């Protein structure tokens, strides 16, 4: 959902469609449309149409989409890095705790990528941090 109030309305009751048909009073603007200079500037652009960016200039849906993509991308990169480090450490002569820590950290980052794709970006961020800390802890045992 975009957070806009008119996004829940059906297409035949939206304000844009009502303005095109000419039913200005059904939109909720009242009887003062076009009856004076003070009524034209309230909430409208230069030519009388409603300016979308008056109320929602922060572009919330695009920010949420970028946050989801960032969580998915970071989770995928850290998952691949943790899995590669676990495989490389597994072939060496290190304690078994080191590759296990890298694998657990990679698993946490993979879960964070899944959570991020579902829109749980705050939880994904904290899970990415925890997974990276587990990998760093495994590196300390090396």
């Amino acid at each position: 959902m975009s957070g806009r109030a008119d996004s829940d309305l059906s297409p035949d009751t939206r304000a844009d469609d009502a303005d095109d048909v000419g039913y200005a009073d059904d939109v909720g603007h009242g009887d003062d449309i076009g009856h004076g200079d003070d009524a034209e500037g309230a909430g409208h652009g230069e030519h009388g149409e409603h300016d979308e960016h008056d109320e929602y200039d922060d572009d919330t849906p695009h920010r949420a989409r970028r946050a989801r993509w960032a969580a998915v991308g970071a989770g995928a990169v850290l998952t691949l890095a943790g899995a590669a480090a676990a495989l490389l450490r597994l072939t060496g002569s290190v304690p078994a705790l080191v590759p296990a820590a890298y694998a657990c950290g990679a698993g946490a980052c993979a879960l964070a990528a899944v959570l991020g794709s579902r829109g749980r970006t705050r939880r994904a961020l904290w899970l990415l941090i925890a997974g990276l800390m587990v990998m760093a802890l495994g590196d300390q045992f090396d």
Side-chain angles (χ1 to χ4, degrees):
M1 302 206 70
S2 67
R4 294 183 48 138
D6 62 347
S7 64
D8 295 333
L9 299 175
S10 63
D12 58 329
T13 59
R14 293 184 72 147
D16 299 333
D17 294 338
D19 286 340
D20 292 340
V21 176
Y23 299 111
D25 291 338
D26 292 340
V27 182
H29 294 295
D31 293 329
D32 58 339
I33 293 179
H35 292 293
D37 292 332
D38 58 345
E40 286 187 27
H44 297 288
E46 287 181 32
H47 302 290
E49 67 261 0
H50 184 71
D51 191 10
E52 293 179 11
H53 299 289
D54 285 345
E55 299 173 20
Y56 303 102
D57 59 355
D58 62 337
D59 237 6
T60 303
H62 296 293
R63 282 186 173 193
R65 188 176 302 124
R66 274 185 272 153
R68 285 193 302 266
W69 278 107
V72 169
V77 166
L78 289 174
T79 299
L80 290 175
L87 289 175
L88 287 174
R89 300 293 181 167
L90 192 61
T91 60
S93 62
V94 294
L97 187 60
V98 175
Y102 278 112
C104 287
C109 291
L111 182 61
V114 171
L115 286 177
S117 70
R118 294 182 179 175
R120 305 287 186 180
T121 54
R122 286 185 189 147
R123 291 179 181 150
L125 174 67
W126 286 109
L127 202 54
L128 284 172
I129 292 170
L132 200 57
M133 287 176 63
V134 168
M135 286 191 248
L137 184 66
D139 195 37
Q140 292 297 316
F141 291 121
D142 188 14

